[in-house]
Amino acid sequence: MAETKREIERKYAADDSGLPDLTGVAGVAAVLDRGVAELDATYYDTPDLRLAAASITLRRRTGGSDAGWHLKLPVSPGVRDEIRAPLSGTLPPALAALVRSRVRDGEPVPVVRLRSARDVRHLVDADGALLAEVSLDTVRAERLSGGSGTAQWTEIEVELADGGDPAFLDRVDKRLRKAGVRPAKSPSKLARALAETDPGPLDAGADAWSAGKEGPGKESSGKGGGKKGSSGGHLTAGAYVLAYLREQRDAIVALDPAVRQEVPDAVHSMRVATRRTRSAFRSYAKVLDRAVTDPVGAELKWLAGELGADRDREVLTAHLTAALDDLPATLVAGPVHDRLHSWARERHSGSRRHLIGVLDSRRYLNLLDALDALLADPPLHRAAAAKPAKVAAKAVRKDVRKLSVLVEQALWLPPGQERDVALHEARKRAKRTRYAAEAAEPALGAPARKLVKSVKSVQKVLGEHQDSVMARTTLGELAAVAHAAGESAFTYGVLYGREEHRAALSEAALPERWEKVRRTTAV
């Protein structure tokens, strides 16, 4: 059974002087010697080091108090989530699943062996509670694949105690710097081992997976769109769009383990990345050949739909629960809370299993491979050689015009199902327009940001309307089930009426919101 631990630590270079005296650190009452542990860790990766290129480490370690398999996923500088599994001869399935979006069909192989003598100290407060663990690690590294070198060094590692205040690490840092200790240049032991035993393969893996990660905003700013990139040439529309698409591809891949672990908002974020990619394919059809991108876009639409099943249920459940809690007790008749919660649990259990099956499926892995292939050999049109600002402005204007048609059509229709459908189509187009404007921000600057804000306002009111439509559908289903069970359907009717009022308010707010978009001169 895998368990997750949030690891907050800092690493420092060490010399022959050993570990400085830390008794003077504010809050530290004692420094306890916990002896020396002999650690033996084998790190696994693909032959082209895809995990290392993403700052992910996967190891099997013996020795110490936490022997076993460890997968470390980056959260922010100095912060990682460590997922642990018991010691075994082969990679545990739970950890294999969390790296599948990067490993794909590959088999992680041993790449580096690290043997460390860890001299451990515990920093404790006046009550004896652990504040941080400090260790002096003497490391011997041996390359197992992709090279044959060895390396040796000594470093200091300071790891915050579980639930500790990260500010405490600042106080330790101040004391170490005063003693002449400086932060380590490498973010991890593995990164240093790879660099010092044979840096070539790591660079190749990083190039394959991180090319363009700096994104369009790093090479182009303002309305000119002609600022020189790191290569020395002028950034083209093709390079601009591909950099944006790489960001979205990287987001999908990176969010895969978070979705599997049910990290809050991970499903939504992954779904947004798929939508942004599809939006870019369509908005920038003058740059990328749709004969190539359309099949990939169709698969992205499939993935977004699968992700949406769980996400939409979460949002709907939260809304209906809040609406029910807001009712006076006199308007609640029958076991409405229990029925709603049972409906939510049943839907979640089934959709959760289905979603994991999707992420484990051949179709999903093929989609990731297709995205990689498209980015590696992009189907560029002649317009790809133009300036980003010119192409982005044209793409955004086109999306705004199409959104205008849908909104105006919906506003002319009388209230009812036909108008509900028309407003839903306008909502989907508003999302696409917003994504197109967001992608254009680095090239177009303030006008694009202004458009994003106004379209987001329209999208919000259209989203509230669609949420009301879905809520009324669900309430009707729940009322029918309750009635069949001999329960009162009164409360469901009350909630249904409130949802109708909510939809009416959204429809009434739309003309004013849309007028702001019309007045926006984004490009």
Side-chain angles (χ1 to χ4, degrees):
M1 184 68 177
E3 61 173 326
T4 301
K5 177 182 182 297
R6 176 61 55 89
E7 179 184 82
I8 303 176
E9 65 179 19
R10 299 186 187 180
K11 294 180 180 295
Y12 300 85
D15 52 27
D16 295 336
S17 60
L19 187 67
D21 180 17
L22 297 175
T23 54
V25 176
V28 175
V31 178
L32 308 180
D33 188 342
R34 295 306 186 191
V36 178
E38 296 294 334
L39 309 178
D40 191 341
T42 299
Y43 288 77
Y44 289 74
D45 206 335
T46 59
D48 59 353
L49 301 176
R50 293 184 176 187
L51 300 183
S55 301
I56 295 172
T57 60
L58 174 63
R59 73 186 179 199
R60 180 185 184 275
R61 190 169 77 182
T62 58
S65 60
D66 61 346
W69 286 89
H70 305 152
L71 172 65
K72 297 189 178 186
L73 303 174
V75 176
S76 60
V79 183
R80 296 185 291 182
D81 278 340
E82 182 178 275
I83 299 95
R84 300 174 176 177
L87 194 64
S88 62
T90 58
L91 177 61
L95 299 191
L98 295 177
V99 297
R100 186 165 292 127
S101 65
R102 297 188 185 277
V103 173
R104 312 286 168 81
D105 292 324
E107 184 79 18
V109 298
V111 293
V112 166
R113 182 183 184 186
L114 295 182
R115 283 171 284 184
S116 306
R118 170 163 288 183
D119 191 358
V120 180
R121 303 286 191 277
H122 279 183
L123 308 184
V124 298
D125 62 17
D127 297 324
L130 180 65
L131 298 171
E133 180 178 284
V134 182
S135 63
L136 181 66
D137 297 344
T138 302
V139 185
R140 291 166 292 160
E142 176 188 1
R143 192 62 171 262
L144 302 178
S145 65
S148 58
T150 61
Q152 185 168 325
W153 69 89
T154 303
E155 69 179 36
I156 296 171
E157 184 175 292
V158 184
E159 181 175 348
L160 188 68
D162 293 347
D165 182 2
F168 177 72
L169 295 183
D170 293 334
R171 299 199 291 270
V172 176
D173 179 83
K174 184 177 180 180
R175 178 68 183 88
L176 290 173
R177 288 174 182 268
K178 188 175 181 179
V181 177
R182 293 294 177 263
K185 294 181 179 179
S186 295
S188 68
K189 290 183 176 66
L190 175 62
R192 180 167 182 173
L194 290 171
E196 295 191 8
T197 56
D198 193 346
L202 178 59
D203 290 344
D207 286 345
W209 275 80
S210 303
K213 269 191 174 183
E214 60 274 7
K218 298 297 183 180
E219 292 188 345
S220 174
S221 61
K223 296 185 66 175
K227 189 175 180 179
K228 289 184 178 181
S230 57
S231 64
H234 288 283
L235 182 69
T236 65
Y240 182 90
V241 173
L242 289 173
Y244 178 79
L245 290 173
R246 287 190 189 98
E247 289 180 352
Q248 307 315 314
R249 185 278 311 271
D250 292 346
I252 293 171
V253 172
L255 284 163
D256 179 291
V259 170
R260 294 175 184 271
Q261 294 179 290
E262 297 192 80
V263 174
D265 211 42
V267 169
H268 174 65
S269 297
M270 189 174 186
R271 192 182 186 189
V272 168
T274 66
R275 286 173 167 170
R276 283 177 171 157
T277 305
R278 288 183 65 223
S279 174
F281 284 163
R282 291 175 293 179
S283 296
Y284 293 98
K286 296 294 185 180
V287 174
L288 296 170
D289 186 355
R290 287 196 61 171
V292 177
T293 62
D294 276 359
V296 181
E299 290 302 282
L300 287 166
K301 182 178 181 180
W302 160 76
L303 178 58
E306 299 291 357
L307 292 166
D310 207 43
R311 169 66 180 178
D312 292 344
R313 175 208 52 81
E314 290 177 358
V315 173
L316 182 56
T317 299
H319 171 70
L320 290 177
T321 300
L324 183 58
D325 291 341
D326 192 48
L327 286 181
T330 54
L331 297 181
V332 179
V336 185
H337 281 94
D338 292 342
R339 188 163 295 285
L340 176 58
H341 293 159
S342 296
W343 172 83
R345 284 194 300 270
E346 290 170 4
R347 293 294 182 93
H348 176 66
S349 177
S351 61
R352 182 69 196 162
R353 288 193 300 270
H354 178 74
L355 180 55
I356 295 302
V358 166
L359 298 182
D360 288 337
S361 71
R362 166 52 47 195
R363 185 175 181 179
Y364 170 66
L365 295 181
N366 286 345
L367 168 57
L368 298 183
D369 288 342
L371 283 170
D372 291 344
L374 188 150
L375 291 169
D377 185 19
L380 297 175
H381 283 312
R382 182 178 299 177
K387 292 183 178 181
K390 180 179 179 180
V391 173
K394 189 173 182 180
V396 172
R397 280 197 298 265
K398 183 178 179 180
D399 280 333
V400 171
R401 286 196 299 269
K402 290 184 176 181
L403 173 59
S404 177
V405 170
L406 292 175
V407 171
E408 296 292 347
Q409 287 178 345
L411 289 174
W412 275 104
L413 290 170
Q417 184 176 3
E418 188 177 357
R419 190 182 204 190
D420 290 345
V421 173
L423 289 171
H424 181 47
E425 291 302 314
R427 174 183 178 239
K428 291 190 291 185
R429 175 61 64 171
K431 284 185 179 180
R432 175 174 162 180
T433 303
R434 173 189 165 193
Y435 294 151
E438 287 175 344
E441 278 190 45
L444 302 179
R449 287 193 294 272
K450 186 177 180 181
L451 180 61
V452 168
K453 184 178 180 180
S454 60
V455 173
K456 187 176 182 180
S457 178
V458 168
Q459 180 188 328
K460 181 179 179 180
V461 75
L462 290 171
E464 290 172 350
H465 183 274
Q466 179 61 18
D467 289 346
S468 172
V469 172
M470 298 304 297
R472 279 177 278 162
T473 299
T474 300
L475 288 168
E477 295 172 355
L478 290 173
V481 173
H483 179 73
E487 301 166 5
S488 171
F490 171 76
T491 301
Y492 302 103
V494 172
L495 292 173
Y496 192 99
R498 291 194 170 196
E499 290 301 328
E500 285 185 319
H501 180 64
R502 179 188 180 199
L505 291 176
S506 298
E507 292 182 27
L510 179 58
E512 182 180 352
R513 303 282 182 94
W514 176 242
E515 185 59 31
K516 289 182 179 179
V517 175
R518 294 181 60 180
R519 291 198 304 265
T520 299
T521 55
V523 289

